[in-house]
Amino acid sequence: MSFDEICSICSLPKDICRCQELAKSEQRIKVHTERRKWGREVTLVSGIDSREISLSELVTKLKNKLACGGSAKDGVILLMGDHRHRLREVLAELGFPSDNIDIS
Ligand SMILES: [Zn+2]
């Protein structure tokens, strides 16, 4: 088994470790949109602790579910377009409690 498959927090194999699930329930997520200078709207998802949650994995899942482009940088996920109306549901599907998601 490679090092990558062992959780660094609890030392259990990642497929049975619950640390990510536990961490997800503790995130306070903020969602808002911004209009960038080229006139396109982007949705920013912040407040997720990137030491606990893999943002690159999360952004890949969000891009698939929302069928949009996006990236993760400096602890903030950026999605192309306005996805506020769907993000609560999509993040809840991924294990983030919808009560902890603040959409403005
Ligand atoms: Zn663990």
Side-chain angles (χ1 to χ4, degrees), residues 3-94:
F3 177 74
D4 279 357
E5 290 165 330
I6 298 286
C7 172
S8 58
I9 299 163
C10 66
S11 306
L12 287 171
K14 278 190 175 164
D15 48 340
I16 60 168
C17 132
R18 303 293 295 163
C19 295
Q20 283 268 323
E21 302 307 310
L22 199 67
K24 282 178 182 177
S25 71
E26 289 168 353
Q27 306 302 309
R28 306 286 311 181
I29 302 175
K30 286 198 186 307
V31 176
H32 72 282
T33 59
E34 270 180 25
R35 195 170 288 279
R36 291 293 160 97
K37 50 184 171 224
W38 59 92
R40 292 188 66 175
E41 204 149 21
V42 296
T43 304
L44 299 169
V45 181
S46 58
I48 300 173
D49 189 338
S50 57
R51 290 166 302 180
E52 295 180 321
I53 307 283
S54 165
L55 291 185
S56 56
E57 245 171 66
L58 182 58
V59 76
T60 302
K61 288 176 185 164
L62 290 175
K63 287 196 292 187
N64 285 338
K65 284 182 179 282
L66 299 165
C68 66
S71 59
K73 197 179 168 220
D74 301 330
V76 177
I77 288 173
L78 181 151
L79 299 164
M80 303 306 292
D82 180 355
H83 300 285
R84 283 174 298 179
H85 57 294
R86 285 208 59 210
L87 264 173
R88 189 184 300 277
E89 178 195 333
V90 167
L91 285 167
E93 279 173 24
L94 295 172

